[in-house]
């Protein structure tokens, strides 16, 4: 037990030494806190119309320091709200794909042989088409509620995770401790979830961190096209679409949510790279 | 080689079939239907409509009919564009999308590879850092942000290019959509080329060639470049996926009458047959291009050539 704690502490030290990753972590934490509680402290509600101030540009004195949109809604609050929706959907979608991907990959890696071939062949087939197209089919099928949106995104995002986990699981199956577990009579589910999966955690964390920005992008992409989150709820994709429609006269309506999205995506990527270097030094 | 290609072609058929069946079942399991309007239709009219489109048949009959139709090149009628069949819509949209996609891919390769090489040859110098910083930006900024920003800067502020529209044969209309679509791929290709070029330049066979006195130009172009390009070739598959995905946004923003716009409209309207048809076309393009990439890869790299001794 001591050694494994040593491993994680080691990884933590390496991560702390990576300035880009630490900065990203701080920015993301700040953004999450802001997105969670910020709107509550603002003088404006996200759907509140300020009749005196419609489409005003960012200015500190006006009270709307990032400006307002055409209907006089405060952009700062709306962007935070959008970020909250986008982040929540991305996290939940990542969780869904983790559950499916890790189980799928671990079972394939554990079973080997024909079951493995069948499971992975299915993954190959789904790989033949970009994820977004399956999500679009799913959004045609089901209502466009935020609940179903994250399930739809998560339900197609697990393929890479399944491949990675399967490879690792196959390697783990050769290890002595698994052999020992089999010899002492552990059943398949016990071996998979008590012996194989815990040893995959590092890899899973790395890929999950890198998956979150992908999920945010998919969600924003769909919302931008009008197939994702629907008004009056806002996500970053919606806000960017609104801004794009108004950009000729009011470019800030586009720039504020776009900047927020880019910052989030950048930070998650830096953090994911940092985690990879910290948890898996061999990769460098 | 020919046997390899034929085998891969045959292997693509079940893949396509699974995708067709899967998306067919998904669209038919939908709770909402294509005839859900603001005003509810009288039940008799609804029944008539469903009979006209064959929706009253059992699921497996519908599926059989659909697949049989596909084999004849018949994608069925569009539920929402009432005067058009999906095949007609594909026939009008496909040339636009293919032109856009092919132009973007060509641009990505034509710009990405030279910049990647430049970066590798000026390793750790200013040019290298500048190119790589741009590449990171190109990869991280999503296309639905780049596209409106591009229209804003070049179409509205500078007035160099039209903001939207697509007149046949009008090159100016194509520039902004193509560049926008190509941008992330250019960035990725440049980064890949740089990395693999750096690695190749350090490898023993290059050192040996240098020791033999091979001139620098020949060393880079004839010895290093072909070896360095294999990862770029294998990236062309994922690049196709990126271009297809991006074309949905680009076609919507710039108002191009391509497949992507029909897919988005079909999704918004719950137009089953239209969405299905588009998915089948996109999957065929993806599978076809991946096949091409694999063949090109086998041709470039003798180690993965079929029948090569392991």
């Amino acid at each position: 037990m001591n050694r494994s704690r040593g491993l994680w502490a080691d990884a933590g030290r390496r991560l702390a030494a990576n300035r880009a990753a630490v900065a990203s972590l701080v920015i993301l934490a700040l953004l999450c806190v802001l997105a969670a509680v910020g709107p509550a402290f603002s003088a404006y509600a996200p759907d509140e119309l300020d009749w005196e101030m419609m489409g005003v540009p960012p200015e500190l004195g006006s009270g709307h320091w990032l400006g307002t949109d055409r209907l006089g809604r405060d952009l700062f609050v709306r962007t935070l709200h959008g970020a909250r929706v986008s982040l929540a959907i991305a996290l939940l979608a990542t969780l869904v794909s983790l559950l499916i991907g890790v189980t799928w990959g671990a079972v394939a890696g554990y079973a080997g042989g024909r079951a493995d071939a069948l499971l992975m062949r299915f993954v190959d087939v789904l790989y033949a088409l970009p994820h977004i197209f399956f999500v679009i089919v799913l959004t045609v099928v089901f209502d466009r509620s935020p609940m179903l949106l994250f399930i739809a995104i998560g339900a197609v995002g697990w393929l890479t995770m399944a491949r990675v986990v399967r490879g690792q699981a196959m390697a783990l199956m050769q290890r002595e401790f698994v052999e020992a577990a089999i010899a002492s009579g552990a059943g398949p589910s016990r071996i998979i979830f008590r012996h194989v999966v815990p040893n995959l955690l590092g890899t899973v964390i790395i890929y999950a961190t890198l998956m979150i920005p992908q999920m945010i992008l998919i969600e924003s992409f769909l919302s931008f096209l009008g197939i994702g989150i629907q008004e009056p709820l806002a996500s970053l994709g919606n806000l960017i679409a609104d801004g794009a429609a108004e950009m000729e006269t009011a470019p800030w309506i586009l720039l504020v949510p776009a900047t927020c999205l880019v910052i989030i995506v950048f930070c998650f990527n830096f953090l994911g790279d940092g985690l990879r270097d910290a948890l898996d030094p061999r990769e460098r | 080689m020919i046997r390899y290609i034929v085998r891969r072609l045959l292997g693509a058929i079940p893949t396509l079939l699974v995708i067709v069946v899967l998306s067919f079942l998904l669209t038919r399991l939908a709770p909402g239907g294509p005839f859900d309007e603001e005003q509810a239709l009288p039940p008799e009219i609804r029944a008539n409509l469903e009979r006209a489109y064959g929706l009253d048949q059992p699921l497996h009959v519908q599926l059989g009919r659909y697949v049989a139709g596909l084999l004849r090149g018949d994608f069925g009628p569009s539920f929402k564009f009432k005067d058009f069949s999906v095949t007609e819509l594909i026939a009008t949209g496909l040339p636009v999308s293919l032109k856009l996609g092919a132009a973007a891919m060509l641009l990505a390769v034509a710009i990405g590879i030279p910049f990647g090489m430049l970066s590798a040859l000026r390793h750790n110098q200013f040019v290298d850092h500048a190119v790589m910083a741009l590449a990171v930006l190109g990869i991280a900024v999503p296309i639905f942000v780049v596209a409106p920003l591009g229209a804003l800067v070049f179409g509205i502020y500078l007035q160099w290019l039209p903001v939207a529209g697509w007149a046949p044969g009008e090159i100016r209309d194509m520039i902004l959509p193509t560049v926008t679509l190509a941008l992330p791929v250019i960035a990725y290709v440049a980064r890949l080329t740089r990395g693999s070029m750096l690695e190749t330049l350090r490898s023993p066979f290059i050192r040996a060639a240098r020791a033999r006195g091979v001139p620098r130009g020949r060393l880079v172009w004839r010895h290093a470049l072909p070896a360095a390009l294999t990862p770029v070739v294998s990236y062309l598959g994922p690049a196709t996926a990126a271009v297809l995905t991006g074309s949905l946004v680009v076609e919507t923003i710039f108002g191009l009458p391509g497949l992507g716009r029909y897919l988005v409209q079909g999704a918004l309207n719950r137009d089953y047959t239209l969405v299905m048809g588009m998915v089948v076309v996109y999957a065929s393009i993806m599978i076809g291009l991946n096949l091409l990439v694999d063949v090109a890869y086998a041709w470039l790299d003798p180690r993965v050539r079929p029948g090569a001794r392991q």
Side-chain angles (χ1 to χ4, degrees):
Chain A
M1 222 39 230
N2 253 334
R3 265 204 65 190
S4 84
R5 206 181 301 139
L7 185 82
W8 288 100
D10 236 27
R13 253 199 310 281
R14 272 196 295 267
L15 188 67
N18 183 335
R19 254 182 291 162
V22 173
S24 300
L25 193 61
V26 172
I27 295 174
L28 281 176
L30 271 176
L31 252 170
C32 285
V33 172
L34 260 180
V37 303
F41 285 100
S42 168
Y44 307 96
D47 50 359
E48 181 184 328
L49 312 179
D50 191 339
W51 298 100
E52 318 279 289
M53 304 250 185
M54 285 167 134
V56 294
E59 199 197 310
L60 278 178
S62 68
H64 300 282
W65 66 281
L66 285 180
T68 59
D69 69 4
R70 273 281 165 257
L71 300 174
R73 293 177 290 196
D74 185 77
L75 260 188
F76 176 68
V77 175
R78 266 181 87 69
T79 303
L80 282 185
H81 241 262
R84 181 202 282 183
V85 171
S86 287
L87 279 169
I89 288 186
L91 289 176
L92 289 170
T94 304
L95 210 67
V96 171
S97 6
L98 273 187
L99 281 177
I100 306 178
V102 171
T103 312
W104 197 280
V107 168
Y110 167 83
R114 207 170 268 166
D116 171 43
L118 196 71
L119 287 173
M120 292 332 272
R121 182 82 194 115
F122 185 70
V123 172
D124 291 342
V125 168
L126 290 189
Y127 247 110
L129 200 63
H131 294 168
I132 219 99
F133 292 93
F134 283 116
V135 181
I136 289 178
V137 171
L138 285 173
T139 56
V140 176
V141 176
F142 298 107
D143 276 336
R144 296 188 190 106
S145 73
M147 269 301 276
L148 288 163
L149 189 63
F150 81 74
I151 294 178
I153 297 175
V156 294
W158 53 273
L159 302 175
T160 310
M161 182 60 90
R163 276 194 180 170
V164 172
V165 166
R166 177 234 179 203
Q168 298 252 324
M170 280 179 80
L172 284 173
M173 286 303 294
Q174 307 298 320
R175 299 276 291 273
E176 294 84 352
F177 66 86
V178 174
E179 209 177 313
I182 296 172
S184 58
S189 68
R190 190 176 167 82
I191 290 173
I192 291 176
F193 291 105
R194 292 303 296 265
H195 296 273
V196 175
V197 170
N199 282 293
L200 291 166
L201 266 185
T203 320
V204 169
I205 290 174
I206 295 166
Y207 274 87
T209 317
L210 291 171
M211 205 190 266
I212 295 172
Q214 298 301 324
M215 298 293 183
I216 293 180
L217 287 178
I218 292 182
E219 181 276 317
S220 307
F221 188 100
L222 293 170
S223 301
F224 179 88
L225 291 175
I227 321 174
I229 295 287
Q230 307 283 310
E231 285 269 355
L233 215 59
S235 86
L236 291 175
N238 276 358
L239 294 174
I240 291 171
D242 287 354
E246 303 277 357
M247 65 184 177
E248 292 172 45
T249 49
W252 64 91
I253 303 179
L254 168 65
L255 292 175
V256 170
T259 313
C260 178
L261 177 75
V262 171
I263 290 176
I264 293 179
V265 171
F266 255 109
C267 286
F268 270 113
N269 280 325
F270 280 129
L271 185 61
D273 285 345
L275 278 173
R276 175 164 52 203
D277 295 343
L279 285 171
D280 199 357
R282 284 163 303 166
E283 288 274 314
R284 289 216 85 169
Chain B
M1 197 66 167
I2 289 173
R3 273 187 56 195
Y4 172 69
I5 297 174
V6 170
R7 211 182 60 220
R8 287 295 315 267
L9 268 177
L10 290 178
I13 294 171
T15 307
L16 203 54
L17 201 65
V18 171
I19 291 179
V20 169
V21 172
L22 210 63
S23 41
F24 183 89
L25 291 180
L26 275 174
T27 47
R28 294 310 142 101
L29 289 175
F35 308 120
D36 291 349
E37 305 273 344
E38 301 278 308
Q39 267 179 314
L41 289 169
E44 305 84 39
I45 294 180
R46 200 188 172 89
N48 272 336
L49 271 172
E50 288 187 342
R51 183 143 9 95
Y53 287 111
L55 291 178
D56 55 342
Q57 304 282 329
L59 212 55
H60 64 273
V61 178
Q62 286 185 42
L63 177 63
R65 273 192 191 173
Y66 186 72
V67 173
L70 280 186
L71 292 176
R72 293 193 307 268
D74 176 11
F75 288 83
S78 164
F79 287 138
K80 284 288 153 77
F81 294 93
K82 293 228 168 62
D83 294 331
F84 295 94
S85 70
V86 173
T87 313
E88 282 167 338
L89 292 175
I90 290 172
T92 59
L94 190 61
V96 175
S97 292
L98 280 185
K99 215 157 128 191
L100 178 71
M105 291 288 271
L106 276 179
L107 195 68
V109 170
I111 296 183
I113 292 176
F115 270 97
M117 281 178 67
L118 184 74
S119 218
L121 296 177
R122 300 264 183 284
H123 186 40
N124 274 340
Q125 293 174 24
F126 174 73
V127 181
D128 181 22
H129 293 309
V131 170
M132 281 308 111
L134 279 178
V136 169
L137 214 62
I139 292 168
V141 181
I143 198 155
F144 50 87
V145 173
V146 175
L149 282 182
L152 182 65
V153 172
F154 295 102
I156 292 166
Y157 289 162
L158 299 173
Q159 304 248 326
W160 288 353
L161 295 164
V163 175
W166 181 271
E170 183 65 72
I171 303 231
R172 276 164 50 88
D173 284 349
M174 273 188 74
I175 297 177
L176 212 45
T178 310
V179 173
T180 310
L181 192 52
L183 225 49
V185 188
I186 293 176
Y188 212 91
V189 167
R191 217 163 73 159
L192 260 183
T193 309
R194 172 183 179 269
S196 107
M197 194 73 184
L198 282 176
E199 211 177 302
T200 311
L201 286 175
R202 276 197 293 265
S203 62
F205 79 95
I206 292 294
R207 222 183 308 153
R210 196 176 284 153
R212 284 203 311 275
V214 175
R216 186 168 165 80
R218 199 180 151 75
L219 189 83
V220 170
W221 291 99
R222 292 299 302 269
H223 292 249
L225 186 61
L229 281 187
T230 41
V232 178
V233 171
S234 58
Y235 169 65
L236 290 181
T240 312
V243 165
L244 288 186
T245 313
S247 69
L248 300 185
V249 164
V250 167
E251 287 178 11
T252 306
I253 290 185
F254 294 108
L256 309 187
L259 292 182
R261 228 171 44 152
Y262 287 131
L263 176 61
V264 173
Q265 278 168 7
L268 288 171
N269 291 334
R270 293 180 180 274
D271 192 336
Y272 295 163
T273 40
L274 186 56
V275 170
M276 285 282 311
M278 295 303 154
V279 166
V280 173
V281 173
Y282 278 112
S284 314
I285 295 175
M286 260 322 282
I287 292 171
L289 268 158
N290 271 324
L291 185 77
L292 263 179
V293 168
D294 285 353
V295 170
Y297 199 77
W299 179 63
L300 269 178
D301 189 342
R303 280 169 304 178
V304 297
R305 205 168 284 169
R309 245 166 245 152
Q310 293 299 314

